[in-house]
Amino acid sequence: MSVNKEIKRITTHSIREMKVRGEKIAVLTGYDYSMARILDQAGIDVILVGDSAANVMAGYETTVPITLDEMLYHASAVVRAAKRSLVVVDLPFGTYQGDSSDALKAAVRVMKESGAHALKVEGGIEISDTVKRIVDAGIPVMGHLGLTPQSIYKFGTYTVRAKEEAEAEKLKSDARLLEDAGCFGVVLEKIPAKLAAEVTRDLTIPTIGIGAGAACDGQVLVVHDMLGINQDFKPKFLRQYLNLFDEISGAVTRYIADVKHAEFPNEKEQY
């Protein structure tokens, strides 16, 4: 007799409840079915289908080039794997910074065509009306403040943001605006830990930090960075839990040697 064990899905409501009870929220990026399946079964709370796919999956220098169709491809693969995790998908650059009706169309496409559970957008007051329009349509939105990679050509650098008082005050104001617009959470990237702590205390929605200190309600890392697949990116905030680059490279080297020396396949590995 088989027994079906019910898997309780993490939702945007679950995430907000986690903040209330002081439970930290664990987030990692994911871009494909196989990796997302591992993350989901390991118990990750949120899988972010980040536009960082432009960097780690496609080799672009920035996140700017990735298209909506490409994000839909990655998102659909992750959704098929995730049985428990909340799947949040980045809206790519150019799909929401202009007309809010175009932004809503892009948001609807992601939700309908990928099956995603929520979206993420970068920016504050500049996009607050668009956020409200998307949320009013019934689509959950997560905000993103601080270092916003889609604006890298505006900033010209990936350095820590909001160190000066004026930018810090704007960030705090933007965070409140995003909460008022209906966001269920906000990513805080590469800002001083003290500022992130202030924002976290000020908001009723959870904050997810990346290079923003321990006071945030949760943390997110790019999975390729955390696993040591990407060897070229080692900022101060990154804790590398494995060195898969060397592990995979070593395995491939051994495979090549076995093939070259006719040691693979052996008698037990053929029909």
Side-chain angles (χ1 to χ4, degrees):
M1 179 179 176
S2 63
V3 178
N4 267 337
K5 185 177 180 182
E6 183 181 354
I7 300 174
K8 188 174 182 181
R9 168 77 72 185
I10 300 290
T11 66
T12 56
H13 180 69
S14 308
I15 297 301
R16 297 186 72 156
E17 283 187 324
M18 289 170 76
K19 178 182 174 90
V20 171
R21 63 176 179 263
E23 179 183 349
K24 295 290 189 178
I25 303 160
V27 186
L28 283 170
T29 63
Y31 316 100
D32 65 88
Y33 176 86
S34 297
M35 181 66 78
R37 191 164 179 259
I38 294 170
L39 300 180
D40 186 69
Q41 291 183 5
I44 202 74
D45 297 313
V46 180
I47 301 176
L48 172 63
V49 186
D51 56 5
S52 48
N55 309 121
V56 299
M57 301 299 287
Y60 290 115
E61 184 179 355
T62 73
T63 62
V64 172
I66 199 164
T67 68
L68 182 59
D69 285 339
E70 288 169 330
M71 288 301 300
L72 283 166
Y73 169 82
H74 291 293
S76 298
V78 170
V79 168
R80 285 191 288 270
K83 307 302 180 188
R84 173 186 176 275
S85 306
L86 178 74
V87 179
V88 180
V89 180
D90 270 336
L91 280 182
F93 177 75
T95 59
Y96 62 91
Q97 288 89 349
D99 187 272
S100 64
S101 62
D102 291 337
L104 180 58
K105 289 175 185 175
V108 169
R109 272 199 72 192
V110 172
M111 299 299 286
K112 286 179 69 70
E113 295 181 32
S114 75
H117 311 132
L119 306 175
K120 183 171 76 65
V121 294
E122 297 180 4
I125 189 172
E126 307 83 1
I127 63 161
S128 58
D129 289 342
T130 294
V131 169
K132 187 175 187 307
R133 182 164 187 176
I134 294 172
V135 171
D136 285 347
I139 299 172
V141 176
M142 176 177 279
H144 185 147
L145 296 171
L147 176 62
T148 47
Q150 291 181 8
S151 302
I152 185 56
Y153 291 123
K154 173 185 174 183
F155 295 143
T157 175
Y158 287 104
T159 191
V160 176
R161 304 302 311 174
K163 290 188 292 184
E164 303 300 326
E165 184 178 353
E167 189 177 353
E169 288 302 318
K170 182 181 185 305
L171 188 144
K172 288 190 280 188
S173 174
D174 282 343
R176 289 189 289 269
L177 280 172
L178 290 176
E179 180 175 56
D180 291 343
C183 283
F184 71 90
V186 60
V187 170
L188 301 176
E189 181 167 357
K190 215 166 182 184
I191 65 172
K194 183 179 177 182
L195 174 60
E198 290 179 32
V199 173
T200 301
R201 287 193 300 269
D202 191 41
L203 300 180
T204 62
I205 60 174
T207 61
I208 307 297
I210 177 166
C216 293
D217 297 302
Q219 300 293 329
V220 59
L221 286 175
V222 171
V223 70
H224 288 65
D225 299 336
M226 186 271 283
L227 293 177
I229 298 173
N230 180 8
Q231 293 284 287
D232 302 323
F233 184 68
K234 294 182 178 178
K236 180 180 180 179
F237 65 78
L238 173 63
R239 182 179 296 182
Q240 186 176 304
Y241 285 79
L242 283 175
N243 186 352
L244 280 187
F245 182 93
D246 286 351
E247 292 289 327
I248 295 170
S249 180
V252 173
T253 299
R254 294 193 299 274
Y255 168 74
I256 293 169
D258 286 350
V259 171
K260 296 291 186 181
H261 294 97
E263 294 176 1
F264 174 79
N266 61 30
E267 288 185 7
K268 292 181 179 179
E269 294 165 332
Q270 53 192 346
Y271 298 99

